[in-house]
Amino acid sequence: KRGRFRLIAAPDGADGSVTIHQDARVHAGLFDASETGRHEIANGRSAYVHVARGSASVNGHLLWAGDALKFIGTERVVLRDAHGAEAILFDLPGA
């Protein structure tokens, strides 16, 4: 999960992730310096990004450890300018 969002939990256990019984896909990543994480949000879905440690810019908003943002009606999430960041991204149903 270094430098990218890696799927860690999904309803279908895709890509070796843990199977969960919810309409959600959970991704995690470790980011620093020039590493950029991108996640496309399908039409009718939303995303919630939580920075667990460090700091990062998420769609232009600076987040520190413990901060989070929810995205509704957004096409993608872009995380960049990170400093020792660990981020969790939840891909969720609609609004």
Side-chain angles (χ1 to χ4, degrees):
K1 60 184 185 175
R2 165 61 54 202
R4 67 184 181 107
F5 285 114
R6 167 130 168 99
L7 184 64
I8 60 170
D12 59 359
D15 299 329
S17 64
V18 173
T19 300
I20 57 174
H21 301 286
Q22 295 293 322
D23 182 11
R25 296 172 71 83
V26 183
H27 304 258
L30 301 171
F31 303 93
D32 212 1
S34 63
E35 296 171 328
T36 299
R38 289 183 173 79
H39 179 76
E40 300 296 320
I41 304 170
N43 194 20
R45 308 264 319 156
S46 62
Y48 178 87
V49 178
H50 174 81
V51 175
R53 67 180 168 150
S55 66
S57 173
V58 181
N59 286 23
H61 300 277
L62 181 59
L63 301 182
W64 295 89
D67 291 342
L69 282 174
K70 184 171 184 181
F71 297 94
I72 299 171
T74 302
E75 294 180 357
R76 77 188 50 81
V77 171
V78 179
L79 182 149
R80 61 174 47 128
D81 301 325
H83 299 280
E86 182 169 7
I88 303 168
L89 184 147
F90 299 83
D91 185 314
L92 305 165

